[in-house]
Amino acid sequence: MPLFCFNTAADYLEAARQMAITGRTAHARLLAEEAADRTSDPSEAARILSDFPGPSLRQED
């Protein structure tokens, strides 16, 4: 099992892809949201989120 190191948007995006491949769509969406948050280009952030559709599952205060 691979060990992930999360330092960049690309790291979160790769983890999101792995979660999607294994059927963990909720985890994939959360990781994609984090990747989008760490992306400075709004159009790229929107593209990331469009690749992982669904409502946000974040629980923020």
Side-chain angles (χ1 to χ4, degrees), residues 33-61:
E33 289 176 6
E34 189 61 33
D37 286 350
R38 293 169 179 262
T39 301
S40 59
D41 179 4
S43 62
E44 179 64 13
R47 186 199 62 77
I48 290 169
L49 293 176
S50 72
D51 287 347
F52 299 90
S56 177
L57 301 171
R58 289 182 172 178
Q59 295 180 352
E60 298 183 23
D61 295 328

Side-chain angles (χ1 to χ4, degrees), residues 7-40:
N7 293 318
T8 66
D11 295 332
Y12 283 92
L13 191 52
E14 177 58 28
R17 288 182 182 123
Q18 291 297 319
M19 291 296 113
I21 288 169
T22 60
R24 297 177 179 118
T25 56
H27 287 93
R29 177 63 189 198
L30 288 168
L31 289 161
E33 289 176 6
E34 189 61 33
D37 286 350
R38 293 169 179 262
T39 301
S40 59

